[in-house]
Amino acid sequence: MGRRKTPEERADEERRYALASAAHTDEDFEPFFTDTNQAIRNAAAMNPDASAAVLDRFASDRFWSVRIAVAEHPRTDRATLLRMLEADPRRRGVVHHETRKRLEREGVRFGDDGMPIPEA
């Protein structure tokens, strides 16, 4: 079992979580790209005010839950979604599958290899 957080540490996390949820501008999101708490980064990625540029940066987060939030966010642009797909079938996971579902809902067709069929 890890060490318990102090009341001050818990209060600081609550403050950062509230700021991540209330961010409006790209500059407001800047501290959250490197926040040590995955839940806070996830809250920032789910923020309805996150721009396509902010979401593109969160698409590279090391935790899958943050990347899934990006895949599900309505402001994520097509180029970011396509970049989130994994070409190697052995490396595909929940992020690839959620991204594929989103793209299929938007009319993108996928081939037998699990990747989008290039539009002619």
Side-chain angles (χ1 to χ4, degrees):
M1 185 154 108
R3 79 171 181 86
R4 297 180 95 142
K5 293 179 184 171
T6 66
E8 293 80 16
E9 289 170 326
R10 285 194 302 274
D12 183 53
E13 282 186 353
E14 289 176 23
R15 179 190 61 79
R16 293 188 338 260
Y17 186 87
L19 289 171
S21 298
H24 293 295
T25 67
D26 288 6
E27 294 77 30
D28 292 343
F29 285 94
E30 196 62 40
F32 305 111
F33 297 122
T34 57
D35 196 286
T36 57
N37 188 313
Q38 171 188 351
I40 292 170
R41 293 194 313 276
N42 198 58
M46 292 187 331
N47 182 320
D49 291 331
S51 69
V54 164
L55 294 164
D56 187 65
R57 288 186 63 190
F58 278 122
S60 299
D61 195 272
R62 67 181 184 249
F63 287 102
W64 61 268
S65 66
V66 175
R67 295 190 312 269
I68 286 179
V70 172
E72 295 174 345
H73 199 291
R75 286 188 165 186
T76 304
D77 65 21
R78 175 77 47 94
T80 299
L81 293 170
L82 292 171
R83 182 172 60 82
M84 292 172 66
L85 294 171
E86 180 59 59
D88 183 350
R90 298 169 297 176
R91 296 192 48 157
R92 290 181 185 155
V94 293
V95 174
H96 176 90
H97 296 292
E98 288 302 314
T99 303
R100 178 178 175 162
K101 281 194 248 183
R102 160 84 182 271
L103 288 167
E104 286 177 330
R105 282 193 308 270
E106 293 178 359
V108 174
R109 294 183 13 202
F110 281 73
D112 293 336
D113 64 352
M115 295 301 286
I117 298 172
E119 295 179 11

